[in-house]
Amino acid sequence: MLKLRPNCECCDKDLPPEAREAMICTFECTFCAGCAANVFAGTCPNCGGDLVRRPVRPAALLAKYPPSTERVLRNGDCLAKRDAA
């Protein structure tokens, strides 16, 4: 079951469960589409895997299978790369 992390690990943008711009790798590292494309060129900076669109969990199943509330952020290197992009 996907954790559906609530934010971009780079810019901390909120990514609710229905967000179509949430991108993940096979380890569920989570980034917004802007950071995934412009900062990391579609490659996860944590594992080197592809960043692809995260599936949307149907609203009817969110109560039974809630998204994660744990916010994950990379160290300061991410913001410097984002600002340079």
Side-chain angles (χ1 to χ4, degrees), residues 12 18 24 45:
D12 200 28
E18 68 277 4
I24 61 171

Side-chain angles (χ1 to χ4, degrees), residues 5 7-10 15 22-24 28-32 54:
R5 292 181 182 163
N7 66 302
C8 174
E9 291 181 32
C10 183
L15 295 171
M23 308 294 284
I24 61 171
E28 296 187 58
C29 301
T30 304
F31 299 94
C32 68
R54 181 179 75 189

Side-chain angles (χ1 to χ4, degrees), residues 5-15 23 29-41 43-46 51 71-85:
R5 292 181 182 163
N7 66 302
C8 174
E9 291 181 32
C10 183
C11 69
D12 200 28
K13 179 178 185 171
D14 289 338
L15 295 171
M23 308 294 284
C29 301
T30 304
F31 299 94
C32 68
C35 289
N38 300 323
V39 178
F40 303 117
T43 301
C44 178
N46 300 320
L51 291 169
R71 296 182 83 84
V72 177
L73 284 173
R74 288 181 52 83
N75 292 332
D77 70 325
C78 184
L79 295 178
K81 289 179 185 176
R82 186 195 70 194
D83 292 342

